[in-house]
Amino acid sequence: MGYQRLSPELKTLTPVWTGNVKGKCDRLRETGLLGSLRWWFEVVVRGLGGHACDPTGEKKCEYEEREGVEKLCAACRVFGATGWRKLFRLEVDGSGLEPVMASDRGLLLPSGRCHNSRAGGWYILPALYGTFSLEFRRRRSGDKKEEEFIQVLLGTLRLMERWTAIGAKETGGYGVFKTVSGLNFELPEQNPFGQSRGASDDENGPAALPGLTDFFFARVRLRPKEGDWWKKFKEVELTLNKRLPCKGGRQQWMREGHFQEWIEKGCFPLSPIVRNWLRYAWYPRLKGSISEGLIFGTAEGDRRRRTAIGISHAYRLENGLWEFRIWGCRPPDLEEGKWQEFVEGLHEALKPLNRQAGFSVWRNEDGLFGCVAEPGELVWREFNSERDTVSKISDGWDFFKSLVEGKEKEDGQGSAGVVGGAE
Ligand SMILES: [Zn+2]
């Protein structure tokens, strides 16, 4: 028995945000990290055929001693529920982190549109950059199922490292990380949740809560054409040249020095720029019949609704390449056919077109990156899909393992090295 202790050390690739209700992020909070770790663990559990309740919903689990712990869903068993303590303690050491922009509330990046005759934009938050460690401590219970759940939890952290992010506002660009050391785990031989959600289960209609097999995950690589490539984005030009489309009010807008702070760290607040382009330039051309709000979230400023699409900020790779991540999950009120139509269109828009060997262009040449960057590569992972760059995987457990492993192509291990900024 005894204690088990695991202390992975992580490095941010895009700043991590775990702010409080007032919107400040002055230190790393374990609640923000636990929240996203639990959310992704729930997604994995559901994709593997297990049950994970919605801890904010009415049907969440409550522990009753006479019913025993088996009545709890896997997520509540691991992360706790009313009357049941979580299986581990998490301590966070964020002393190796520093703020990227020294500003209390964040600074605005203009969208180029007006709202009630005031310039619209997005807050770029003063998040934290550097290294931090998570310490998981738990008493070994000897319970086989609990051991397996913990290994799947650690695998989920690896999945987040490879494909998504950690902390609050992860769908808005923050919290992409890589593990420096100490994330050791061994996944069980077989799916501990029994039967994976299969490819045909969708006939029963979309599940109300997201499962791993409802997702796609992509890494988009680009090669900037020149040093100050980022200045060519229309949103950046607007603020650098102080040419807002209408009154900017007294709001604080980003200035060149603020962008430079990001660039020096090897990252750039690209997420709202990609979202702006996808939502307002690309999507209307797709002539999709889905409300764009369903996919991209509601109007700027409304943060209550969780968007179906996560888009990371960009970070520098080796060989002069930059990368950002995009992932998404079918919203529960959208039918599978329409979702497929949307995903196919998105995949086409992000995919480089190989005209000749050694020369490729974006399909959207005049769009998002037309004058800014050349296409690098598109890595695409999606359950039971021909678009997957590794292979079409129709078993949930195999799909999970492949994502944890981080494979990008059928024949190679992939994963271009990350450079990042100065420590
Ligand atoms: Zn539960």
Side-chain angles (χ1 to χ4, degrees):
M1 296 290 148
Y3 267 99
Q4 186 185 30
R5 189 189 291 250
L6 192 74
S7 313
E9 192 186 14
L10 315 179
K11 180 182 185 305
T12 57
L13 299 181
T14 70
V16 61
W17 198 88
T18 58
N20 62 19
V21 281
K22 286 180 183 160
K24 280 196 179 180
C25 180
D26 44 5
R27 67 180 177 85
L28 199 62
R29 276 161 229 274
E30 51 271 26
T31 48
L33 302 178
L34 272 172
S36 73
L37 196 51
R38 177 171 186 150
W39 196 86
W40 281 107
F41 183 71
E42 290 168 10
V43 162
V44 167
V45 167
R46 290 185 204 114
L48 297 179
H51 172 57
C53 71
D54 174 3
T56 63
E58 281 172 15
K59 290 183 189 164
K60 68 178 180 188
C61 307
E62 275 179 36
Y63 177 67
E64 298 273 356
E65 201 165 350
R66 62 192 154 78
E67 289 180 330
V69 70
E70 292 289 334
K71 280 273 181 186
L72 291 180
C73 76
C76 286
R77 183 136 180 209
V78 171
F79 285 90
T82 308
W84 177 255
R85 273 197 0 213
K86 64 178 180 294
L87 290 184
F88 60 92
R89 278 183 55 190
L90 178 68
E91 277 175 34
V92 173
D93 179 359
S95 57
L97 294 169
E98 56 177 60
V100 172
M101 289 187 308
S103 152
D104 272 0
R105 290 184 313 138
L107 297 166
L108 276 161
L109 179 65
S111 65
R113 287 182 302 279
C114 292
H115 297 286
N116 304 321
S117 70
R118 291 182 69 181
W122 308 273
Y123 277 104
I124 304 299
L125 303 169
L128 301 166
Y129 193 91
T131 53
F132 61 102
S133 63
L134 308 176
E135 184 174 88
F136 295 91
R137 281 181 65 185
R138 69 184 203 99
R139 190 186 289 280
R140 283 184 198 277
S141 65
D143 182 297
K144 181 168 178 278
K145 196 172 247 179
E146 287 184 0
E147 290 294 335
E148 289 184 340
F149 287 179
I150 289 288
Q151 298 307 309
V152 171
L153 171 67
L154 296 170
T156 300
L157 181 60
R158 181 72 89 192
L159 182 148
M160 291 160 72
E161 171 188 355
R162 308 272 200 215
W163 303 102
T164 65
I166 195 168
K169 305 209 184 289
E170 54 177 309
T171 56
Y174 302 89
V176 178
F177 67 97
K178 75 167 187 171
T179 305
V180 179
S181 62
L183 180 55
N184 305 312
F185 62 94
E186 200 170 322
L187 291 180
E189 300 244 320
Q190 285 173 344
N191 180 354
F193 303 100
Q195 191 70 47
S196 296
R197 230 195 252 184
S200 60
D201 292 3
D202 288 331
E203 288 160 16
N204 302 327
L209 296 166
L212 189 66
T213 48
D214 300 320
F215 276 82
F216 71 85
F217 302 92
R219 292 172 152 211
V220 185
R221 301 198 175 121
L222 44 127
R223 187 178 297 284
K225 287 183 178 171
E226 53 187 80
D228 284 342
W229 54 282
W230 48 273
K231 288 186 182 170
K232 290 194 172 171
F233 288 115
K234 155 185 115 221
E235 296 84 351
V236 177
E237 272 178 352
L238 287 172
T239 181
L240 293 189
N241 301 330
K242 301 187 180 162
R243 273 199 210 122
L244 298 171
C246 44
K247 268 189 285 180
R250 284 200 215 127
Q251 288 141 304
Q252 296 274 305
W253 299 91
M254 282 189 83
R255 295 281 172 247
E256 182 157 354
H258 302 124
F259 292 110
Q260 293 289 3
E261 281 188 57
W262 283 72
I263 293 288
E264 279 162 22
K265 304 278 188 209
C267 50
F268 185 78
L270 188 68
S271 174
I273 296 176
V274 174
R275 194 176 293 272
N276 199 25
W277 182 78
L278 284 174
R279 182 168 181 178
Y280 296 101
W282 167 73
Y283 191 71
R285 267 191 282 139
L286 186 69
K287 296 193 177 70
S289 48
I290 319 157
S291 136
E292 97 255 3
L294 195 60
I295 302 225
F296 296 111
T298 47
E300 291 150 29
D302 184 353
R303 303 202 182 95
R304 277 164 299 177
R305 183 179 176 136
R306 196 183 171 99
T307 155
I309 300 285
I311 302 171
S312 83
H313 291 318
Y315 45 95
R316 195 189 297 150
L317 302 177
E318 289 164 350
N319 309 324
L321 289 171
W322 284 69
E323 179 174 274
F324 69 93
R325 300 176 179 187
I326 178 163
W327 65 91
C329 164
R330 177 162 54 111
D333 31 6
L334 185 65
E335 62 184 77
E336 174 67 11
K338 289 194 169 176
W339 171 247
Q340 283 298 320
E341 206 179 294
F342 167 78
V343 174
E344 176 61 27
L346 181 65
H347 178 260
E348 283 294 307
L350 296 173
K351 199 169 133 187
L353 187 65
N354 288 307
R355 274 200 191 139
Q356 304 155 8
F359 177 74
S360 58
V361 292
W362 294 102
R363 282 168 197 273
N364 53 47
E365 193 165 14
D366 300 314
L368 179 60
F369 296 112
C371 60
V372 178
E374 282 162 7
E377 195 177 7
L378 177 67
V379 179
W380 192 276
R381 304 304 319 272
E382 186 182 355
F383 181 66
N384 197 37
S385 168
E386 304 286 350
R387 290 180 285 265
D388 193 302
T389 44
V390 174
S391 63
K392 183 175 172 178
I393 300 176
S394 55
D395 175 82
W397 179 240
D398 290 340
F399 184 56
F400 172 64
K401 284 191 293 184
S402 177
L403 290 170
V404 169
E405 201 186 331
K407 262 182 113 171
E408 297 188 345
K409 288 184 214 166
E410 195 165 6
D411 50 353
Q413 188 46 41
S415 200
V418 171
V419 178
E423 299 285 310

